[in-house]
Amino acid sequence: MEGGESSAQIIKNAPSVLKADIWTHYGFYQLKGKNELDKSHAVCKRTQPSEELMRCCQLFPPNSEKAKAITQSVAAFIAKDLRPYSVVENAGFRHLLKTLEPRYKLPSRSHFTENVIPALYNGTKAQVMASMIQAKRVAITCDAWTSVTTESYLTVTAHYISEDWQFLSHVLQTRAVYESHTGAHVAELLSRVVEEWQLSDKDVMLVTDNASNMIVAAELGKFPHVKCFAHTLNLASQRALKVATLSMLLGRVRRIATFFHRSTTANHYLKEKQKCLGLKNYKLITDVATRWNSAYDMVERFLEQQPAICATLLSPEVRKGQSDLCTLNETDVSNAEDAVSALKPLKDATTLMSEESNPTVSLIAPINAQLLQNMTGTIGDSPMIHAIKNAITTDLLKRYNGEAEKKILHTASALDPRFKGLPFLTVEERLEIYRGVTEEAASLENERTLRRTEVIDGPSAPKRKASSSSLLVSLLGRSFTDTEGTSVSAERIFSTAGDVVTAKRSTLKPEHVDQLVFLQKNLHIPKC
């Protein structure tokens, strides 16, 4: 009997003599033209697909809610995990989706590029704009970077305090810059940012590094400007690292650290010595020229692992064929300890200001004043410590000298409960700042009173209450202390953008780079 003929027949129940439970699921076909069962083989009753089973095997329509939800999830996966668009063409990924939901048909790569991701970007952008509308003041930070394809981009981030006093940050845009990075061009770009994101009434404040073009851009754009404190600390620290004695010491430590990174034999024996001496199994650190604190970390790690390092370098197995190996003498070790001690305050300040959720502008003046105090020379300072402190002090004293910038910093500190006493200012400077805060509070009260008089009285209208001075100060504080004290958040985008614009995705258009970086930082997905 042909399979096509059998499939059209009705499956008859098994004879009653077959009593096992399994026979409730199996039966037999009837022999053609006879009143007998074909017992040559049993037939599963589920081999004939039911209507329900047929429905389960049908693909979702592209516009169905289920299909749209899965497509949105795939788009979120691409954006949040920085996956290339081509992932939707990968055999493994397609197999995964087919296994999880056979009825879902994965759209094409171009559909995600031209439709899904842009729609997700527009929806998220609307949410960000709706959130920023509530802010009284918005601080923006910006910095430029170059991709692996030698294309120049400028990233802008925004920072503000919400109605419920949450410090919020958003990446606004990452735009390709084809002109030279002059102050005029940067000012024009920032003005377009303010207009596009509807920030004209938000008292926008600009936070950038100390580059001259950024200073000019702030002047041309008429933005209140605060220089990035983390960048200021880096400049002061880099100047200290150029002190001759310290520079030579860093060269010696760097040479040893590099040797252990290069030699597998030395690295193996270092681990053995660490184990014997009860030291933690840490690798040595090599400094990076653009991050001063990496030099601090390199020396600190060297001092921590010095017993294991010396024991390893004295091993015959390590010294074999290495005639130029050397370690630090007692004077070098003493200088290294002095350097770590002298630079510790700047290391702590750099770590604090690099935290994304904490570094508001109110921290700058108090920390700067404390650092200057810490860098005051003492009688017991060694020549190298004296030179380090002098280099740092000289550089810090050049920063934050503009009257407008000092007023912003001191007012923000006065409105921060941690620093409201302003102990780092003279009595005259303190009184001047308090006077300015009082005037700002009075102006805010007048504004609130004017708004109340415009409200039409009615049975449901709120009763008028006397203004609380603490409420005024808190509202004023939110407008001043919401300013980011560093542009670290903008610089941190470089690593994210670097993951987007890889060699594998070097053909990404600038608008796609903008969308993916924006979504990676701003798209909210529930935790699983």
Side-chain angles (χ1 to χ4, degrees):
M1 181 178 291
E2 295 298 324
E5 295 177 357
S6 296
S7 63
Q9 297 180 19
I10 298 175
I11 300 175
K12 300 289 186 176
N13 292 331
S16 58
V17 293
L18 301 175
K19 301 183 181 297
D21 292 339
I22 191 66
W23 290 107
T24 59
H25 304 287
Y26 286 87
F28 299 95
Y29 288 129
Q30 186 172 336
L31 289 172
K32 189 174 182 181
K34 296 182 180 180
N35 195 21
E36 297 178 16
L37 297 178
D38 182 5
K39 296 181 182 179
S40 62
H41 62 278
V43 182
C44 178
K45 294 179 180 179
R46 299 299 296 174
T47 56
Q48 288 186 322
S50 63
E51 292 184 7
E52 179 183 356
L53 184 61
M54 290 294 292
R55 286 196 300 270
C56 291
C57 294
Q58 291 177 348
L59 293 176
F60 289 132
N63 60 347
S64 71
E65 292 301 319
K66 184 69 173 178
K68 288 192 289 187
I70 298 176
T71 300
Q72 285 292 103
S73 296
V74 173
F77 161 71
I78 291 173
K80 292 298 288 186
D81 291 355
L82 300 175
R83 299 296 92 196
Y85 286 117
S86 60
V87 72
V88 299
E89 298 174 344
N90 292 351
F93 182 72
R94 297 179 71 88
H95 174 70
L96 172 66
L97 287 184
K98 192 69 175 177
T99 303
L100 295 175
E101 181 50 85
R103 295 168 293 174
Y104 174 69
K105 183 179 180 181
L106 184 64
S108 66
R109 172 180 177 174
S110 61
H111 182 70
F112 280 97
T113 306
E114 299 168 8
N115 300 298
V116 184
I117 293 292
L120 190 59
Y121 167 81
N122 291 331
T124 307
K125 181 178 180 179
Q127 294 174 5
V128 170
M129 293 181 72
S131 177
M132 288 197 297
I133 284 177
Q134 308 300 324
K136 180 176 177 60
R137 168 172 284 171
V138 174
I140 60 175
T141 65
C142 69
D143 217 327
W145 56 280
T146 304
S147 71
V148 295
T149 58
T150 324
E151 288 185 297
S152 181
Y153 290 89
L154 191 137
T155 294
V156 181
T157 64
H159 314 271
Y160 59 97
I161 292 180
S162 65
E163 289 288 332
D164 57 351
W165 287 86
Q166 296 295 315
F167 192 92
L168 301 178
S169 297
H170 301 295
V171 172
L172 298 187
Q173 62 184 46
T174 301
R175 298 291 164 83
V177 180
Y178 301 106
E179 308 87 359
S180 58
H181 295 182
T182 63
H185 287 148
V186 175
E188 182 182 353
L189 187 145
L190 293 175
S191 297
R192 291 200 299 267
V193 170
V194 171
E195 181 180 354
E196 178 181 344
W197 291 87
Q198 301 175 13
L199 302 177
S200 302
D201 61 339
K202 301 301 179 186
D203 297 329
V204 175
M205 185 176 295
L206 180 62
V207 181
T208 70
D209 58 24
N210 292 261
S212 58
N213 63 330
M214 294 299 180
I215 297 174
V216 172
E219 293 174 353
L220 294 177
K222 296 181 171 54
F223 295 110
H225 186 215
V226 174
K227 300 179 188 69
C228 169
F229 192 46
H231 189 254
T232 297
L233 293 175
N234 186 61
L235 292 175
S237 303
Q238 292 285 5
R239 183 164 182 162
L241 298 183
K242 292 178 182 177
V243 170
T245 309
L246 179 55
S247 179
M248 289 188 290
L249 172 65
L250 291 175
R252 296 188 188 101
V253 175
R254 186 182 303 115
R255 183 179 178 183
I256 295 171
T258 302
F259 169 73
F260 277 95
H261 278 278
R262 189 181 66 247
S263 172
T264 55
T265 302
N267 188 53
H268 169 73
Y269 279 97
L270 176 63
K271 292 179 181 179
E272 294 293 322
K273 301 300 182 183
Q274 287 172 332
K275 186 176 181 180
C276 292
L277 294 169
L279 297 174
K280 292 184 178 179
N281 184 16
Y282 288 156
K283 289 185 177 182
L284 299 188
I285 297 173
T286 306
D287 60 341
V288 179
T290 55
R291 293 192 296 112
W292 86 267
N293 49 317
S294 65
Y296 178 95
D297 294 337
M298 179 178 70
V299 176
E300 186 180 47
R301 177 63 56 82
F302 184 93
L303 291 174
E304 173 193 298
Q305 300 291 335
Q306 183 200 358
I309 294 171
C310 291
T312 302
L313 292 178
L314 291 174
S315 301
E317 296 85 356
V318 174
R319 299 190 65 84
K320 188 185 302 180
Q322 301 288 341
S323 58
D324 58 346
L325 282 182
C326 64
T327 185
L328 303 189
N329 57 37
E330 291 185 11
T331 302
D332 291 332
V333 172
S334 177
N335 285 339
E337 292 171 343
D338 288 344
V340 169
S341 175
L343 293 171
K344 182 69 161 58
L346 275 86
K347 167 67 174 178
D348 293 340
T350 300
T351 301
L352 176 64
M353 297 307 296
S354 297
E355 294 177 359
E356 195 150 3
S357 60
N358 191 43
T360 57
V361 72
S362 60
L363 291 168
I364 295 179
I367 294 179
N368 193 57
Q370 184 63 51
L371 287 175
L372 287 171
Q373 182 177 334
N374 291 339
M375 293 302 122
T376 303
T378 60
I379 297 177
D381 287 345
S382 66
M384 188 180 74
I385 289 182
H386 178 76
I388 290 173
K389 289 183 174 180
N390 185 61
I392 293 171
T393 301
T394 301
D395 196 88
L396 289 179
L397 287 174
K398 297 190 302 183
R399 315 295 176 183
Y400 304 113
N401 291 323
E403 290 301 319
E405 191 171 30
K406 285 198 296 185
K407 182 179 178 181
I408 292 172
L409 300 182
H410 295 163
T411 302
S413 298
L415 292 166
D416 190 321
R418 297 170 294 180
F419 315 117
K420 62 182 180 181
L422 302 178
F424 50 88
L425 297 182
T426 64
V427 175
E428 293 77 11
E429 290 173 329
R430 215 174 295 155
L431 292 175
E432 181 64 26
I433 292 300
Y434 290 153
R435 190 180 302 112
V437 170
T438 304
E439 291 173 357
E440 289 279 357
S443 174
L444 182 59
E445 166 61 6
N446 292 335
E447 180 183 333
R448 294 174 70 238
T449 302
L450 180 62
R451 284 203 301 267
R452 279 199 301 265
T453 58
E454 295 174 353
V455 177
I456 300 175
D457 292 333
S460 61
K463 301 295 183 182
R464 179 172 177 174
K465 296 182 180 180
S467 297
S468 165
S469 59
S470 61
L471 174 62
L472 288 173
V473 171
S474 68
L475 291 173
L476 185 59
R478 196 177 73 199
S479 69
F480 272 87
T481 59
D482 61 358
T483 302
E484 181 102 332
T486 74
S487 60
V488 170
S489 54
E491 296 181 11
R492 205 169 266 144
I493 304 302
F494 299 172
S495 59
T496 299
D499 290 334
V500 172
V501 190
T502 61
K504 187 176 180 180
R505 290 177 282 179
S506 58
T507 58
L508 270 180
K509 296 180 181 179
E511 58 265 30
H512 294 154
V513 174
D514 183 21
Q515 292 170 1
L516 291 173
V517 174
F518 176 87
L519 288 172
Q520 202 281 328
K521 292 297 182 181
N522 299 317
L523 179 63
H524 173 73
I525 56 176
K527 291 184 178 180
C528 299

